[in-house]
Amino acid sequence: MELKNKRIVITGAGSGIGKETMLQVLKHEGVKVLACDLNEKNILTHPNVIPYKCDVSKKENLDKLLKDADKKLGGIDIFYANAGFAYYEVIPNADWDRIARIYSTNVFSPFYCLIALNQTRKEPFLFVVTASAMSHLSLPGYALYSSTKAAVRSFIDAFRFELKPGNRVMVVYPIATRTQFFGAAGKKVPVPFPSQSPETVAKKVVKGIESNAKEVYPSFLFRFIQILDRFLFFILPIYQKIEAYKLVSLKK
């Protein structure tokens, strides 16, 4: 896909991967971005960027976002569902609202937008969604977050076959990315090893869009370890135990 003159919606555009992806796509001629964030003041000021305040965890906000995107952009060529957050914790108790909050943002929101776009759009679109390496490897401390990203991966794997002709989905699987993400997850949250910069992820996202990729793994090291573990069977479990030790040490 050529990015020239594309109309793009990016959620979670105020920081991290969303912000860096926006910077990358704006390098292409004629690109217009509806940049969505909980705080529109965090969004980059640019003549081709329309700041848009939106809490994507609420259905009514998503319905309004899709309508406003048509009004403000004239349509949607690419929708990047990037907004999401994590808890880093030893889960203290059964809290329905706390579980619902992370699932509404990380799971229900991208599912709803993709289904709605597939049902209502006459023009073909590309739907990009940020999953996580944790959708393949759940880490201690991130039980709920890992489960949300595994849900995204599983849903997309099946829903691809329900897409109308011309509509496509691309899933991004970043490893730990050095952004405000970990600070928002809790106090003194350790950044898992290895980690990468949001700029690295954003460049891989754009490359994936241009090459019509179905999946993007910004970390070659993670992909290599995944393949290696299929034969050795112990690398990833050892990694999980190391992260479990960090969690226990942090909570002491």
Side-chain angles (χ1 to χ4, degrees), residues 244-252:
Y245 176 77
K246 290 181 184 179
L247 177 66
V248 172
S249 299
L250 187 68
K251 296 303 178 182
K252 285 182 179 179

Side-chain angles (χ1 to χ4, degrees), residues 225-236:
I225 292 174
Q226 265 191 308
I227 296 171
L228 192 63
D229 188 69
R230 293 177 185 175
F231 302 96
L232 298 180
F233 307 113
F234 62 83
I235 296 176
L236 296 181

Side-chain angles (χ1 to χ4, degrees), residues 1 19 44 80 85 148-149 160 180 188 205 211 223 230-231:
M1 173 183 282
K19 180 179 180 179
L44 172 74
Y80 187 5
F85 72 95
T148 65
K149 295 305 181 180
R160 287 186 192 280
Q180 299 173 8
K188 299 180 180 179
V205 169
S211 63
R223 196 60 169 152
R230 293 177 185 175
F231 302 96

Side-chain angles (χ1 to χ4, degrees), residues 129-193:
V129 58
T130 300
S132 169
M134 288 191 212
S135 65
H136 293 281
L137 177 66
S138 300
L139 292 184
Y142 294 99
L144 284 171
Y145 175 76
S146 295
S147 72
T148 65
K149 295 305 181 180
V152 169
R153 178 171 66 89
S154 182
F155 177 82
I156 297 300
D157 281 348
F159 193 74
R160 287 186 192 280
F161 298 96
E162 300 184 37
L163 291 172
K164 293 179 180 179
N167 296 339
R168 297 187 298 109
V169 179
M170 185 179 86
V171 187
V172 185
Y173 296 101
I175 59 171
T177 307
R178 297 185 293 274
T179 67
Q180 299 173 8
F181 174 87
F182 291 98
K187 296 180 179 179
K188 299 180 180 179
V189 177
V191 178
F193 174 85

Side-chain angles (χ1 to χ4, degrees), residues 35-53:
C36 310
D37 201 83
L38 281 170
N39 186 353
E40 74 274 23
K41 294 180 181 179
N42 294 333
I43 295 170
L44 172 74
T45 300
H46 188 281
N48 287 7
V49 172
I50 303 170
Y52 190 88
K53 183 176 181 178

Side-chain angles (χ1 to χ4, degrees), residues 66 76 79 112-122 125 127 167:
L66 295 176
I76 301 173
F79 190 105
Y112 183 81
C113 288
L114 176 55
I115 294 169
L117 288 168
N118 191 54
Q119 288 177 335
T120 61
R121 299 287 127 171
K122 295 181 179 180
F125 65 86
F127 190 88
N167 296 339

